[in-house]
């Protein structure tokens, strides 16, 4: 099999990052991306040499704005093996029929219901389930963060219950109309937040998990506090080792940086444009006593699902049959791993 | 016994609010407040007709700034029965000797160590312990919030463990040099935060409590998520009833207001200048299953300890021998209670 031909529907926060990541994979070719409005992001795509496809009838709108168009959405769908749907939450469902008709595989995002895609995807849990399926959905950023840390805890012991408090960023940097600018918002007011169901859709429907979610006035990242109860006791060393051995988790000493702001700037300093694909876990925050543990970590909402999308492409197209191998390929291409001493 | 003569050392965030609250109590007289620098807050004190006392030798500094001075700190200490120390954290300890020498009672704040004051104070728990003591310390805002909610949970069942995630406001409105403006900060990185020890200092040293604390860029209020484990199961109805019956807790429907911003503005609309003495608990956030519960609530850091300071004054001076009676007096004078339908 040659390189997988990939198209991205949507070039927003997630879509553009997945596009850039696809361009770095040895076994993938980015055919183009779709944008519905001639925005600064459309301009940024063409400026990077990415072919831009637009909905039928919108060609003139883009050309008038001085943005070069390579073809229509239909043109793109006919020249690819797989589409990554990075349209706004709920919009992906309205495209599902077109993807099916075009006979291509589809990778949706966590904003779509599980019923739209069939399989909820996280590379550590459901790669093999997703193999060759017509479509999957990559669960959202907070859910992905919880899943990775939970994976480590499950390596360390027999997890009985999980209680998470999620402090969510209010908006991404570019979302200039969203808030809050000030205040903390309990959302939803009635627990659990959707993350509990989403985690179960990947990690198993019998998992005992409750999540609360508080929205804070920040754009940089989410922060979680997770309490875990085990059947039987665990040791601090086992948990630390499991965290170290879990892909896409980075342990960062809190005495070096203990805020989302410092960690994002650290990632800028290290040439990542601030994008952090890994869950950042502070080892000092790990509290272990008997059959119980607590931990705090950070999730960069714009970037964390990007490697999961890349793995999802490999899973649905079947070009790599093994999750561990796909993770290794992705992480090498994106320099993911233990980038801190 | 006539009215208790009260002086306040410090007229900052807490000191000024305690001063205003003292002025509303039928059994107390505010003799004056102490300020060490001629700031806008010193001006605001005199503008409200409050006598301003200053450290020895600083009289001219204030008069030159056009601020009228009533006397020195020593003058104040000689004309009062009790001082409320509302100086910055750790500074109160340096004054403790002078209070003792003046032969007056002292009420310290939560920023002082328990050893400075002897008794950690919350009106629901330690009023009787504090009766007639030379000094107490009123535990800080987040601790006070936890204690009130815990009080309700203990009425509803036999509490086994408490796990709290505190999302702290970054700074008060007037703290123009403090941050963060952006980002979330895990502080301390190593759990538990000081709140766990402080809660134990009031609620009993054998309480199993762990607290994590995340600082957020907001000035309006803290928000907590608390998970409680009971010995034996509890019912949702019992917890709601206990919350309703606990003084200084207000249940507010989240469908009316679920953010710190809306609740603070609601308090402004109701003529309180935004000060909220009560813990605001959202009933929708209460999750109960078997022997476990979770809840989210809000703590207004500037105001919540004010009624506790008033009760502490009554306890150390012994003018009211019963905590419930003092709470009733304070709450009536400050219109505390179920101010929402």
């Amino acid at each position: 099999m040659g390189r997988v031909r990939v198209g991205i529907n949507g070039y927003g926060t997630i879509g553009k990052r997945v596009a850039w990541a696809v361009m770095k994979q040895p076994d993938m070719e980015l055919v183009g991306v779709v944008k519905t409005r001639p925005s600064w992001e459309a301009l940024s795509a063409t400026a990077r040499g990415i072919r831009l496809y637009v909905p039928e009838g919108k060609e003139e709108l883009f050309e008038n704005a001085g943005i070069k168009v390579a073809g229509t959405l239909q043109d793109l769908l006919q020249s690819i093996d797989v589409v990554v749907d990075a349209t706004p939450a709920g919009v992906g469902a309205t495209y599902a029929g077109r993807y099916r008709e075009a006979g291509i595989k589809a990778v949706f995002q966590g904003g779509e219901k599980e019923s739209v895609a069939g399989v909820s995807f996280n590379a550590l849990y459901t790669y093999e389930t997703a193999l060759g399926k017509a479509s999957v959905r990559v669960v959202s950023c907070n859910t992905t963060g919880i899943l990775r840390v939970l994976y480590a805890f499950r390596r360390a012991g027999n997890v009985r219950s999980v209680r998470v408090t999620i402090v969510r960023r209010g908006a991404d940097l570019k979302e200039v109309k969203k808030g809050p600018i000030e205040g903390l918002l309990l959302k939803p007011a009635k627990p659990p937040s959707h993350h509990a169901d989403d985690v179960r859709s990947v990690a198993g429907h019998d998992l005992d998990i409750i999540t609360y979610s508080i929205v804070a006035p920040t754009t940089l990242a989410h922060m979680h506090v997770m309490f875990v109860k085990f059947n039987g006791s665990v040791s601090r060393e086992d948990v630390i080792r499991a965290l170290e051995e879990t892909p896409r988790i980075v342990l960062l000493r809190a005495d070096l940086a203990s805020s989302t702001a410092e960690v994002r700037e650290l990632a800028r300093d290290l040439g990542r444009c601030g994008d952090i694909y890994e869950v950042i876990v502070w080892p000092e925050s790990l509290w272990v006593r008997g059959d119980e543990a607590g931990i705090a970590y950070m999730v960069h909402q714009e970037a964390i699902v990007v490697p999961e999308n890349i793995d999802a492409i490999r899973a649905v197209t079947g070009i790599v049959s093994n999750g561990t191998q796909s993770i290794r390929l992705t992480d090498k291409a994106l320099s993911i791993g233990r980038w801190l001493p």
Side-chain angles (χ1 to χ4, degrees), chain A residues 100-322:
Chain A
R100 252 193 320 270
E101 285 161 22
I104 58 175
K105 308 282 188 175
V107 174
F108 294 97
Q109 305 306 309
E112 305 306 321
K113 295 206 178 85
E114 193 179 30
S115 57
V116 171
V119 176
S120 291
F121 185 85
N122 176 280
L124 292 170
Y125 292 79
T126 51
Y127 190 95
E128 281 74 16
T129 312
L131 254 185
K133 289 286 192 308
S135 62
V136 299
R137 67 159 191 157
V138 174
V139 291
S140 62
C141 50
N142 281 303
T143 306
T144 300
I146 293 170
L147 283 166
R148 290 193 195 153
V149 175
L150 174 62
Y151 189 88
F153 276 118
R154 280 183 164 179
R155 283 176 82 127
N158 183 347
V159 169
R160 193 163 88 197
S161 70
V162 180
R163 304 288 175 259
V164 188
T165 300
I166 298 164
V167 185
R168 297 166 73 170
R169 64 90 181 86
D172 294 340
L173 186 59
K174 66 168 192 170
E175 296 175 311
V176 291
K177 289 182 184 171
K178 269 183 86 175
I181 280 180
E182 166 67 298
L184 298 166
L185 171 61
L186 184 66
K187 187 179 174 186
K190 185 171 158 53
S193 60
H194 73 85
H195 311 96
D197 271 345
D198 283 347
V199 167
R200 272 193 291 260
S201 75
V202 172
H205 287 280
D206 56 344
L207 177 68
D208 176 6
I209 178 168
I210 297 292
T211 51
Y212 279 74
S213 163
I214 294 170
V215 182
T218 180
T219 66
L220 298 177
H222 311 296
M223 203 184 283
H224 298 188
V225 172
M226 179 189 281
F227 288 105
V228 174
K229 190 103 174 160
F230 296 87
N231 292 310
S233 57
V234 295
S235 77
R236 181 180 181 82
E237 293 65 37
D238 285 348
V239 175
I240 290 285
R241 193 176 323 112
L243 287 164
E244 285 172 346
E245 289 171 1
T246 299
R248 299 175 184 168
I249 287 178
V250 164
L251 293 169
L252 173 61
R253 286 173 48 165
D255 56 354
L256 298 180
S258 55
S259 70
T260 59
E262 293 160 301
V263 176
R264 283 289 305 276
E265 183 149 341
L266 175 60
R268 278 165 63 192
D269 290 1
L270 296 180
R272 285 191 168 204
C273 295
D275 275 4
I276 301 175
Y277 303 119
E278 301 92 345
V279 177
I280 303 294
V281 174
W282 288 286
E284 291 96 323
S285 77
L286 176 64
W287 164 80
V288 178
R289 196 189 60 196
D291 62 353
E292 225 186 329
I295 201 159
Y297 54 91
M298 152 179 170
V299 173
H300 179 200
Q301 75 282 358
E302 296 168 310
I304 192 167
V305 298
V306 170
E308 307 294 335
N309 272 276
I310 298 298
D311 294 327
I313 291 170
R314 290 209 188 84
V316 292
T317 56
I319 49 169
V320 171
S321 61
N322 175 289

